[in-house]
mmCIF file with all atom_site columns, all heavy atoms in Angstrom:
data_model
loop_
_atom_site.group_PDB
_atom_site.id
_atom_site.type_symbol
_atom_site.label_atom_id
_atom_site.label_alt_id
_atom_site.label_comp_id
_atom_site.label_asym_id
_atom_site.label_entity_id
_atom_site.label_seq_id
_atom_site.pdbx_PDB_ins_code
_atom_site.Cartn_x
_atom_site.Cartn_y
_atom_site.Cartn_z
_atom_site.occupancy
_atom_site.B_iso_or_equiv
_atom_site.pdbx_formal_charge
_atom_site.auth_seq_id
_atom_site.auth_comp_id
_atom_site.auth_asym_id
_atom_site.auth_atom_id
_atom_site.pdbx_PDB_model_num
ATOM 1  N N  . LYS A 1 53 ? 5.656   -0.504 -3.939  1.00 0.00 ? 68 LYS A N  1
ATOM 2  C CA . LYS A 1 53 ? 6.402   -0.491 -5.198  1.00 0.00 ? 68 LYS A CA 1
ATOM 3  C C  . LYS A 1 53 ? 5.511   -0.312 -6.335  1.00 0.00 ? 68 LYS A C  1
ATOM 4  O O  . LYS A 1 53 ? 5.783   0.027  -7.457  1.00 0.00 ? 68 LYS A O  1
ATOM 5  C CB . LYS A 1 53 ? 7.166   -1.775 -5.358  1.00 0.00 ? 68 LYS A CB 1
ATOM 6  C CG . LYS A 1 53 ? 8.162   -1.827 -6.401  1.00 0.00 ? 68 LYS A CG 1
ATOM 7  C CD . LYS A 1 53 ? 9.012   -3.041 -6.259  1.00 0.00 ? 68 LYS A CD 1
ATOM 8  C CE . LYS A 1 53 ? 8.979   -3.779 -7.641  1.00 0.00 ? 68 LYS A CE 1
ATOM 9  N NZ . LYS A 1 53 ? 9.769   -4.980 -7.705  1.00 0.00 ? 68 LYS A NZ 1
ATOM 10 N N  . SER A 1 54 ? 4.180   -0.651 -6.170  1.00 0.00 ? 69 SER A N  1
ATOM 11 C CA . SER A 1 54 ? 3.163   -0.630 -7.194  1.00 0.00 ? 69 SER A CA 1
ATOM 12 C C  . SER A 1 54 ? 3.017   0.772  -7.744  1.00 0.00 ? 69 SER A C  1
ATOM 13 O O  . SER A 1 54 ? 3.115   1.756  -6.969  1.00 0.00 ? 69 SER A O  1
ATOM 14 C CB . SER A 1 54 ? 1.801   -1.176 -6.786  1.00 0.00 ? 69 SER A CB 1
ATOM 15 O OG . SER A 1 54 ? 1.316   -0.426 -5.766  1.00 0.00 ? 69 SER A OG 1
ATOM 16 N N  . PRO A 1 55 ? 2.547   0.959  -8.978  1.00 0.00 ? 70 PRO A N  1
ATOM 17 C CA . PRO A 1 55 ? 2.243   2.301  -9.446  1.00 0.00 ? 70 PRO A CA 1
ATOM 18 C C  . PRO A 1 55 ? 1.124   3.017  -8.703  1.00 0.00 ? 70 PRO A C  1
ATOM 19 O O  . PRO A 1 55 ? 0.273   2.347  -8.025  1.00 0.00 ? 70 PRO A O  1
ATOM 20 C CB . PRO A 1 55 ? 1.888   2.193  -10.910 1.00 0.00 ? 70 PRO A CB 1
ATOM 21 C CG . PRO A 1 55 ? 1.480   0.697  -11.009 1.00 0.00 ? 70 PRO A CG 1
ATOM 22 C CD . PRO A 1 55 ? 2.199   0.032  -9.987  1.00 0.00 ? 70 PRO A CD 1
ATOM 23 N N  . SER A 1 56 ? 0.961   4.319  -8.959  1.00 0.00 ? 71 SER A N  1
ATOM 24 C CA . SER A 1 56 ? -0.052  5.135  -8.220  1.00 0.00 ? 71 SER A CA 1
ATOM 25 C C  . SER A 1 56 ? -1.542  4.726  -8.532  1.00 0.00 ? 71 SER A C  1
ATOM 26 O O  . SER A 1 56 ? -2.414  5.000  -7.710  1.00 0.00 ? 71 SER A O  1
ATOM 27 C CB . SER A 1 56 ? 0.264   6.543  -8.285  1.00 0.00 ? 71 SER A CB 1
ATOM 28 O OG . SER A 1 56 ? 0.108   6.975  -9.749  1.00 0.00 ? 71 SER A OG 1
ATOM 29 N N  . SER A 1 57 ? -1.632  4.160  -9.696  1.00 0.00 ? 72 SER A N  1
ATOM 30 C CA . SER A 1 57 ? -2.988  3.789  -10.083 1.00 0.00 ? 72 SER A CA 1
ATOM 31 C C  . SER A 1 57 ? -3.466  2.571  -9.260  1.00 0.00 ? 72 SER A C  1
ATOM 32 O O  . SER A 1 57 ? -4.725  2.427  -9.140  1.00 0.00 ? 72 SER A O  1
ATOM 33 C CB . SER A 1 57 ? -3.145  3.455  -11.579 1.00 0.00 ? 72 SER A CB 1
ATOM 34 O OG . SER A 1 57 ? -2.280  2.384  -11.812 1.00 0.00 ? 72 SER A OG 1
ATOM 35 N N  . LYS A 1 58 ? -2.631  1.787  -8.725  1.00 0.00 ? 73 LYS A N  1
ATOM 36 C CA . LYS A 1 58 ? -3.070  0.659  -7.900  1.00 0.00 ? 73 LYS A CA 1
ATOM 37 C C  . LYS A 1 58 ? -3.177  0.983  -6.449  1.00 0.00 ? 73 LYS A C  1
ATOM 38 O O  . LYS A 1 58 ? -3.556  0.238  -5.610  1.00 0.00 ? 73 LYS A O  1
ATOM 39 C CB . LYS A 1 58 ? -2.009  -0.497 -8.092  1.00 0.00 ? 73 LYS A CB 1
ATOM 40 C CG . LYS A 1 58 ? -2.072  -1.017 -9.528  1.00 0.00 ? 73 LYS A CG 1
ATOM 41 C CD . LYS A 1 58 ? -1.959  -2.444 -9.552  1.00 0.00 ? 73 LYS A CD 1
ATOM 42 C CE . LYS A 1 58 ? -2.106  -2.848 -11.038 1.00 0.00 ? 73 LYS A CE 1
ATOM 43 N NZ . LYS A 1 58 ? -1.911  -4.313 -11.143 1.00 0.00 ? 73 LYS A NZ 1
ATOM 44 N N  . LYS A 1 59 ? -2.654  2.173  -6.083  1.00 0.00 ? 74 LYS A N  1
ATOM 45 C CA . LYS A 1 59 ? -2.754  2.584  -4.631  1.00 0.00 ? 74 LYS A CA 1
ATOM 46 C C  . LYS A 1 59 ? -4.045  3.080  -4.445  1.00 0.00 ? 74 LYS A C  1
ATOM 47 O O  . LYS A 1 59 ? -4.659  3.926  -5.215  1.00 0.00 ? 74 LYS A O  1
ATOM 48 C CB . LYS A 1 59 ? -1.625  3.629  -4.298  1.00 0.00 ? 74 LYS A CB 1
ATOM 49 C CG . LYS A 1 59 ? -0.233  3.035  -4.264  1.00 0.00 ? 74 LYS A CG 1
ATOM 50 C CD . LYS A 1 59 ? 0.757   4.069  -4.022  1.00 0.00 ? 74 LYS A CD 1
ATOM 51 C CE . LYS A 1 59 ? 2.101   3.430  -4.127  1.00 0.00 ? 74 LYS A CE 1
ATOM 52 N NZ . LYS A 1 59 ? 3.084   4.291  -4.561  1.00 0.00 ? 74 LYS A NZ 1
ATOM 53 N N  . MET A 1 60 ? -4.690  2.823  -3.385  1.00 0.00 ? 75 MET A N  1
ATOM 54 C CA . MET A 1 60 ? -6.059  3.105  -3.177  1.00 0.00 ? 75 MET A CA 1
ATOM 55 C C  . MET A 1 60 ? -6.299  4.289  -2.219  1.00 0.00 ? 75 MET A C  1
ATOM 56 O O  . MET A 1 60 ? -5.484  4.724  -1.490  1.00 0.00 ? 75 MET A O  1
ATOM 57 C CB . MET A 1 60 ? -6.823  1.997  -2.636  1.00 0.00 ? 75 MET A CB 1
ATOM 58 C CG . MET A 1 60 ? -6.365  1.434  -1.304  1.00 0.00 ? 75 MET A CG 1
ATOM 59 S SD . MET A 1 60 ? -7.174  -0.055 -0.793  1.00 0.00 ? 75 MET A SD 1
ATOM 60 C CE . MET A 1 60 ? -8.875  0.268  -0.914  1.00 0.00 ? 75 MET A CE 1
ATOM 61 N N  . SER A 1 61 ? -7.454  4.921  -2.328  1.00 0.00 ? 76 SER A N  1
ATOM 62 C CA . SER A 1 61 ? -7.821  5.992  -1.386  1.00 0.00 ? 76 SER A CA 1
ATOM 63 C C  . SER A 1 61 ? -9.124  5.495  -0.695  1.00 0.00 ? 76 SER A C  1
ATOM 64 O O  . SER A 1 61 ? -10.017 4.930  -1.374  1.00 0.00 ? 76 SER A O  1
ATOM 65 C CB . SER A 1 61 ? -8.177  7.243  -2.184  1.00 0.00 ? 76 SER A CB 1
ATOM 66 O OG . SER A 1 61 ? -9.132  6.972  -3.237  1.00 0.00 ? 76 SER A OG 1
#
Side-chain angles (χ1 to χ4, degrees):
K68 194 173 124 178
S69 65
S71 61
S72 62
K73 297 223 176 175
K74 290 178 184 152
M75 65 186 306
S76 53

